[in-house]
């Protein structure tokens, strides 16, 4: 074969590969616009967005008045309800329409079929995004309890007591309770959005796992665990908001329920993974595993996770129009509203209002206490499990990790029950026009008995057979999952203008209780233990509290309307 022919053949193949690569890059850039990688390609000039911007201007000319008015997207907490809004400000749709008609530089959706509107994305793309936010939430949420199998080894290496070592769990939980107070409001600001908050915090979360894996003093480990908790919080606080950004309102409850159930299952799967690392290597490999899981998640998200926050997508469109035309008059309505809020007002709304509302609203105070105690009970199990399954049944660390799977089974039953109760109780009331916020409390009233039952069952059957405490986990998750869903739905419906403050206050209360319960848990069980019932009276003590708190949804079902009528924060 002649050398020139070979050279020509190689050149032709190279040209075809370059053409194919270019086509694939264009298809990828069009399909996953507003991802970190595509943003980088646009910044480097590899991908052009001129055609998109031209289409945007044509859309403004052809459809001066968009029929798809931007609706404020909800901010969801990890156990919150699918149908609630997290915005604390609202504008008149009539005023918005008037503005659009009179201002040619206002950037909005180009009609209801605008392909950049996340609600109009193809089903495959929506599924990929939901899958990614579920993975992100699970990976970061499991960071709380993945540490627990290695606690004794850490105590031995650093020569510290049980309470000090438990701070590594407690401070992580406190961190992801405090983080949403800042990150949630930031994610609703048009110029920030959700994407880069997720990416930046996940990047540093990954880096801090390296620090946890290599640290040589307990103080440094505790500090890094606290910071890791703060960094993991955006997915827990705004993951549900991402789901609501892209999913049609009529099926949001189903998708958000799956996300919530998966997220709740993450911290009970984590001890099994942590125990496997202890069994194979040592406690440091727990954090190496978490680092690799986080890094793999980060890489996938960089390429395939787009911005979903509607305000930010429009803000990006306005920026691109300014750059292409050289005209700085293009703007979005939300960005202009954001810039009217000064730092002092933002800090008051973020840090002061949640606690002011708790102090002035009996319904908020009651449910914050109820949810906080229930959440604290969940983390109390991480103290009780070693006493029961290692102390009584001589389980290995891996076998103890398997014992947590009762919670995962409970998540399945809890989700199914929530769907059934919603279809039987909530949906019919919406259809016939008789819905009131108190309808959500019927769901809570239906399952509230399961919470004290699970604690009594766990405590008093611990020495009968190992399967009975695991069965109690199922009842626990059925209660907690449905109570959380019903509570957040009720509070968000009662306080539609202040949902972010409501959730921020509740998140703080949950974090404080979940932080504290593990610290006194072992001491409580040891002091109240008897020879045949090592965890019975400790579990019963907490069970009696939850039994008393179970009266809250019944009381508010009766007196809720009167309290709402007197409130300064309800519509």
């Amino acid at each position: 074969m002649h050398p020139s022919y070979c050279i020509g053949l190689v050149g032709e193949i190279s040209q075809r590969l370059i053409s194919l690569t270019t086509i694939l890059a264009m298809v990828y850039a069009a399909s996953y616009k507003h991802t970190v990688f595509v943003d980088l390609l646009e910044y480097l000039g590899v991908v052009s967005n001129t055609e998109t911007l031209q289409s945007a201007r044509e859309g403004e000319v052809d459809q001066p008045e968009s029929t798809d008015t931007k609706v404020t997207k909800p901010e969801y907490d990890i156990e919150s309800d699918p149908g609630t809004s997290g915005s604390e400000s609202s504008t008149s749709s009539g005023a918005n329409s008037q503005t659009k008609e009179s201002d040619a530089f206002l950037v909005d959706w180009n009609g209801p079929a605008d392909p950049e509107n996340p609600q109009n994305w193809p089903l495959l793309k929506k599924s990929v995004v939901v899958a990614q936010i579920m993975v992100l939430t699970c990976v970061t949420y499991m960071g709380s309890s993945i540490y627990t199998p290695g606690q004794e080894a850490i105590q031995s290496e650093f020569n510290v007591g049980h309470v000090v070592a438990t701070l590594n769990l407690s401070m992580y939980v406190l961190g992801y309770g405090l983080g949403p107070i800042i990150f949630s409001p930031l994610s609703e600001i048009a110029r920030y959005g959700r994407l880069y908050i997720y990416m930046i915090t996940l990047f540093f979360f990954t880096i801090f796992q390296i620090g946890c894996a290599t640290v040589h003093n307990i103080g440094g480990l505790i500090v890094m665990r606290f910071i890791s908790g703060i960094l993991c919080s955006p997915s827990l606080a705004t993951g549900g908001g991402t789901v609501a950004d892209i999913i049609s309102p009529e099926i949001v409850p189903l998708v958000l329920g799956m996300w919530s159930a998966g997220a709740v299952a993450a911290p009970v799967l984590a001890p099994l993974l942590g125990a496997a690392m202890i069994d194979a290597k040592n406690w440091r490999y727990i954090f190496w595993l978490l680092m690799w899981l986080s890094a793999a998640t980060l890489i996938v998200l960089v390429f395939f996770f787009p911005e979903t926050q509607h305000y930010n997508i429009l803000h990006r469109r306005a920026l691109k129009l300014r750059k292409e035309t050289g005209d700085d008059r293009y703007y979005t309505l939300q960005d202009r509203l954001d810039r009217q809020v000064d730092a002092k007002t933002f800090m008051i709304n973020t840090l002061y209002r949640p606690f002011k509302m708790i102090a002035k609203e009996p319904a908020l105070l009651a449910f914050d206490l109820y949810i906080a105690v229930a959440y604290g009970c969940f983390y109390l199990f991480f103290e009780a499990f070693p006493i029961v399954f290692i102390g009584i049944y001589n389980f290995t660390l891996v076998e103890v990790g398997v014992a947590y799977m009762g919670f995962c089974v409970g998540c399945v039953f809890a989700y199914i029950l929530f769907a059934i109760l919603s279809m039987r109780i909530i949906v019919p009331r919406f259809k016939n026009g008789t819905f009131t916020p108190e309808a959500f409390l019927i769901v809570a009233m239906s399952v509230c008995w399961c919470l004290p039952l699970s604690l009594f069952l766990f405590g008093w059957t611990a020495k009968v057979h190992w399967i009975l405490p695991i069965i109690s986990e199922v009842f626990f998750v059925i209660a907690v999952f449905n109570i959380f869903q019903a509570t957040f739905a009720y509070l968000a419906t009662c306080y539609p203008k202040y949902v972010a403050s409501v959730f921020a206050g509740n998140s703080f209360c949950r974090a404080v209780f979940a932080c504290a319960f593990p610290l006194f848990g072992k001491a409580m069980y040891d002091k109240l233990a008897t020879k045949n019932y090592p965890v019975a009276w400790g579990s019963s003590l907490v069970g009696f509290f939850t039994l008393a708190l179970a009266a809250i949804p019944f009381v508010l079902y009766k007196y809720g309307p009167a309290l709402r009528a007197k409130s300064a924060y309800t519509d």
Side-chain angles (χ1 to χ4, degrees), residues 206-532:
T206 304
I207 297 300
F208 270 89
Q209 302 321 301
I210 300 175
C212 291
T214 57
V215 70
H216 291 288
N217 64 82
I218 190 67
L221 180 58
I222 292 171
V223 170
M224 283 188 284
R225 287 283 289 170
F226 175 67
I227 297 173
S228 295
I230 294 175
L231 293 172
C232 90
S233 64
S235 61
L236 306 179
T238 64
T242 297
V243 171
D245 285 337
I246 65 176
I247 301 298
S248 302
E250 60 270 16
I251 61 171
V252 161
L254 296 176
V255 179
L256 193 62
M258 288 189 293
W259 170 76
S260 299
V264 172
V268 298
L269 176 64
L272 178 58
L273 298 177
M277 293 298 101
I278 293 289
D279 193 51
K281 291 291 185 178
N282 56 58
W283 68 266
R284 295 184 184 275
Y285 277 79
I286 293 175
F287 298 108
W288 285 120
L289 173 64
L290 191 57
M291 186 276 290
W292 286 114
L293 289 173
S294 305
T297 303
L298 178 63
I299 292 171
V300 172
L301 266 59
V302 163
F303 287 95
F304 298 107
F305 191 84
E307 177 62 67
T308 64
Q309 212 257 45
H310 294 200
Y311 295 142
N312 183 261
I313 294 173
L314 292 174
H315 175 71
R316 289 164 175 257
R317 178 178 288 180
L319 289 179
K320 291 174 182 177
L321 282 168
R322 292 174 199 167
K323 182 178 179 180
E324 183 186 342
T325 62
D327 194 335
D328 291 336
R329 288 178 293 178
Y330 286 100
Y331 73 98
T332 67
L333 185 62
Q334 186 60 37
D335 193 31
R336 179 166 290 184
L337 293 174
D338 289 342
R339 294 182 186 281
Q340 293 173 0
V341 178
D342 56 26
K344 180 180 178 181
T345 303
F346 178 81
M347 295 303 292
I348 289 175
N349 290 343
T350 300
L351 301 178
Y352 173 66
R353 183 187 287 165
F355 304 103
K356 179 181 177 182
M357 291 184 68
I358 291 174
K360 298 184 71 173
E361 296 295 313
L364 271 181
L365 178 61
F367 271 120
D368 282 355
L369 179 61
Y370 193 10
I371 294 297
V373 170
Y375 205 58
C377 289
F378 175 66
Y379 280 93
L380 202 57
F381 277 108
F382 294 105
E383 295 296 302
F385 266 48
I387 298 174
V388 172
F389 292 106
I390 295 178
I392 298 176
Y393 297 107
N394 297 313
F395 278 20
T396 65
L397 286 176
V398 173
E399 289 171 340
V400 173
V402 175
Y404 284 101
M405 292 302 100
F407 290 109
C408 293
V409 175
C411 286
V412 176
F413 284 104
Y415 175 69
I416 294 173
L417 181 60
F418 176 70
I420 293 172
L421 291 175
S422 297
M423 294 301 295
R424 294 288 183 88
I425 297 170
I426 309 301
V427 174
R429 284 171 168 78
F430 269 114
K431 290 182 177 179
N432 60 28
T434 61
F435 173 80
T436 62
E438 284 67 33
F440 290 114
L441 299 183
I442 301 175
V443 176
M445 290 187 288
S446 301
V447 299
C448 62
W449 57 273
C450 289
L451 182 53
L453 170 66
S454 67
L455 294 169
F456 292 133
L457 182 63
F458 180 85
W460 292 97
T461 65
K463 210 167 182 180
V464 177
H465 192 281
W466 58 264
I467 194 61
L468 295 176
I470 294 177
I471 292 175
S472 73
E473 301 168 27
V474 177
F475 287 102
F476 182 85
V477 176
I478 288 174
V480 170
F481 181 86
N482 284 280
I483 290 171
F484 276 34
Q485 296 287 339
T487 296
F488 281 98
Y490 173 73
L491 295 178
T493 309
C494 290
Y495 307 98
K497 291 183 179 180
Y498 305 100
V499 177
S501 291
V502 169
F503 287 170
N506 187 276
S507 176
F508 176 80
C509 293
R510 290 202 324 269
V512 170
F513 275 66
C515 170
F517 272 46
L519 294 176
F520 68 75
K522 190 174 187 304
M524 177 186 71
Y525 285 124
D526 289 344
K527 292 291 184 182
L528 298 177
T530 61
K531 182 178 179 180
N532 293 321

